Amino acid sequence: MSVYMLAGIDVTDPVQHLSYVKGAMESLEGFDAEVVTLDESPVTVEGRTSPGRLVVVKYRDRDEFDRWYNSERYTKDTRPLRLASSDTDHVWLVTAP
């Protein structure tokens, strides 16, 4: 069953965050994953205010997400760039057929 990662992010350092986006896209290579959207202005219809950016990535299944998220390339080279250049509001996993 497919898994969608939804990440709400507020970018605090746009220049450094560009390096994160480049690294994140490269880190997905070799995984069964695709970026569904990267929305710079998500709209809140109900509830709390939306983050500045919403990213949705589809993975083949939970195992594929875990392999990517825990991969050396993402954990050592890429994730630190996100942590240094943004505040992450949330990261959710949603399963769908």
Side-chain angles (χ1 to χ4, degrees), residues 25-91:
M25 294 302 292
E26 291 172 354
S27 75
L28 289 170
E29 293 172 8
F31 291 92
D32 191 354
E34 68 175 287
V35 176
V36 176
T37 190
L38 189 159
D39 191 333
E40 295 288 346
S41 52
V43 176
T44 300
V45 176
E46 205 173 299
R48 293 184 296 165
T49 304
S50 299
R53 173 179 289 168
L54 180 67
V55 181
V56 179
V57 181
K58 178 184 178 183
Y59 297 86
R60 179 185 66 227
D61 55 28
R62 176 63 190 266
D63 289 340
E64 191 72 354
F65 167 80
D66 289 339
R67 280 191 289 280
W68 168 77
Y69 190 75
N70 296 309
S71 68
E72 185 171 336
R73 184 170 191 182
Y74 185 69
T75 59
K76 289 189 176 182
D77 300 334
T78 308
R79 189 183 305 150
L81 293 171
R82 177 178 53 83
L83 296 174
S85 65
S86 65
D87 293 325
T88 302
D89 182 59
H90 62 269
V91 176

